[in-house]
Structure formats: C-alpha cells, structure tokens
Amino acid sequence: MDVALTTPANPIVAVAARGARRYATLSAAPIAGSLGAEITGIDLSQPLTDAQVADIRAAAVEHLVIFFRDQSLPLDRQEALTRGLGGFGDTPFVEQLDGHAGVVRVVKEAEETGISNFGGGWHTDWSFQAAPPSFTLLYAVDVPPYGGDTLWANGHLAYETLSPGLRCTLDGLRTVHSARRSYAPGSHLDRTADRRTMRIHASDEAYAEQEHPLVVTHPESGRKALYLNPTYTIRFAGWTPEESKPLLDFLAAHATQPAFTCRFRWTANTLAIWDNRATQHNALNDYDGWRREAYRTTVVGTAPRP
Ligand code: SIN
C-alpha cells in the first residue's frame, strides 16, 4: 500500500547536498541540510588579513550563517571585524555599550523569568530600515546549560521552492516593514522594561514605515530570496492588513518550515555571523532561570533590490 509521505506539514523538498568546503584561509563544514556551517582554521583573537576577512565574507554569503567555536574575541577584535566587513550599521531603540557605539549587550539574567527575550520570534535584523544591515555578528560569552538555541531559515530556498505561478505573482509585490510591534510605546518590550536588564528605548519612531520588494536579489551572490518576516513585515504595499494577512502568514510558515532551517546549540566563546539579506532567525526563550549573554554588532547594508 502506498503511504502518503507528502502533507502540507511534511512536504518533500529537494535541498541539494552540501559538502565541507576549503577556502584559501579557513574551512567550512555544514551543520544542516539547508544552511549554516562551522568554520575552523582561523584564530579571531589575532588581527585578520584582508584575505581572511574576504573568506569570512564569502563563507557567510554561501552558508548564510557561520559559527566559530572556542574563540577568544575581545570587543576590539569584534569591532575590527565589523569594520572589515563594511562598517557599523545604525542601531536604533536598543542601548549600546558605553564608549562602544554599535555594540549591544544581549543579556537575559537568570532572574528575568516570564518575559520575552531580545531576538525571540522569527525576524530579519532591522528590516524596517531603508538599508537594513547586511550581516550581524553575535559573540556568546555566557550560555545556559540547556536551551537558548538560535534558529535560522534560508530565504533563498523559501523563494526557489514556490511554484512558478506563485513566484510570478510575488515577483512584483512590495511589502511594508515597521518596528512598531517591538519598539512602539506599549509594546511587550516596553511594558516589561522594568523587569529586564537590557535597556530598550521604545519610541514613536517605531511607527515609521519602510517599503521593500518582497523578492530580493542578493547583491553579492545574485540569488533571489523571499524577504519578509512576521515581526517587522506588517502588510503588502497598497493592500490592507486584512487582505495581506493570509498570504503573509502562508509565506512566513513556508519560509520557516523545519527543512529550511538550522538550529545552533551555543557554547561559550562562539561567534556567529549571519547574512540578513537571505535569512530570518529566532532566538529561543526556553531557559528561564539561567543566564545568557552575548555581544552583538551589525554591518551596514544597502537597500534591498528586486
Ligand atoms: C538577535 O536577534 O539579534 C539575537 C539572536 C540571539 O540572541 O540568538
């Protein structure tokens, strides 16, 4: 008897095999079928050559998120790498480290229970900006004994696995992005401000709206990607929120289906670098009672183009 293996919840997706890859100055080994690779052969505590930075960039564009375990990464080295990858992006709404513009301490203390975490929920960093960051760097210094993993989803696969008919319909659409759900006065982050260590500056500026193409072409790889996320994408341009919701919900679920994701188990002293132009990510909030701390910088990007 034939058994139906394909259901809406369990589609058959053809994800091409990925192999370990040697770049001139480092090596990358995939951690999942769709995206993500662990990098070896490089010491980030030392000043990096142009060739090493170029390889880091190439690996991040190819694998979409890369991980460097067991690295000693003083803040000035993370800042230097951020500059080497293109320079700091603009960091709104979140307090930055004194004397270190552009560096955010992402922390949830053991006592901060029953509240949302920074970076929880699927999103693409600062997609409400006119030129959202190209890359984000996150260096974990303290991690819980379990939980606190981060998930990433591959936006290229999200686009490429849609039917030709739907791709054709989506190609011309534009979306509206806004920070209001996260950073407007009265948002969850704002209402729980007195219970968290991270200082979030909720502001009416979060109501600003920014249009982007729904389907973008990656400026470095030339590959198309679905560019939307359920945190900041609030509707299609020219559509009402009610008209937009069913298609946005379908695309958000399609884009983050398990087969298109990787899940990373952090260890202390690991740096992750991800490419925001073709990914979403989601920091899991399943470690109440434990501490998690990381240092985050973003690299300036360009306006997404169709
Ligand atoms: C973020 O979304 O920038 C933070 C991700 C994480 O803490 O894993």
Side-chain angles (χ1 to χ4, degrees), residues 52-229:
Q52 286 174 313
V53 175
D55 280 350
I56 290 173
R57 180 178 204 99
V61 169
E62 180 175 348
H63 299 282
L64 300 179
V65 55
I66 52 177
F67 308 98
F68 306 75
R69 287 198 194 267
D70 300 320
Q71 295 282 342
S72 159
L73 189 68
L75 207 46
D76 63 324
R77 297 260 53 87
Q78 181 170 346
E79 291 171 313
L81 181 52
T82 305
R83 280 191 290 273
L85 290 169
F88 283 82
D90 182 31
T91 300
F93 305 121
V94 188
E95 189 167 81
Q96 294 152 61
L97 274 194
D98 262 358
H100 296 274
V103 180
V104 171
R105 190 165 75 105
V106 177
V107 63
K108 192 158 87 76
E109 299 291 349
E111 303 72 42
E112 295 178 40
T113 56
I115 56 173
S116 61
N117 60 330
F118 179 81
W122 285 106
H123 65 286
T124 300
D125 285 335
W126 306 155
S127 72
F128 50 83
Q129 294 182 327
S134 50
F135 301 104
T136 301
L137 288 74
L138 189 71
Y139 179 61
V141 294
D142 196 7
V143 298
Y146 59 81
D149 297 358
T150 307
L151 311 176
W152 282 266
N154 182 331
H156 295 308
L157 287 177
Y159 178 72
E160 291 160 2
T161 53
L162 292 170
S163 66
L166 184 53
R167 284 205 304 266
C168 190
T169 302
L170 300 183
D171 276 340
L173 291 182
R174 294 179 67 78
T175 50
V176 177
H177 296 239
S178 161
R180 67 187 56 169
R181 291 177 186 149
S182 303
Y183 299 111
S187 66
H188 180 74
L189 282 174
D190 186 32
R191 287 196 317 268
T192 54
D194 57 338
R195 295 168 54 199
R196 62 179 76 242
T197 305
M198 284 184 75
R199 294 271 74 89
I200 308 287
H201 303 296
S203 143
D204 283 342
E205 285 173 25
Y207 288 110
E209 297 190 345
Q210 180 63 52
E211 273 190 33
H212 290 306
L214 172 64
V215 178
V216 298
T217 302
H218 193 288
E220 296 185 57
S221 68
R223 214 171 148 188
K224 285 191 170 187
L226 209 53
Y227 189 73
L228 88 164
N229 65 86

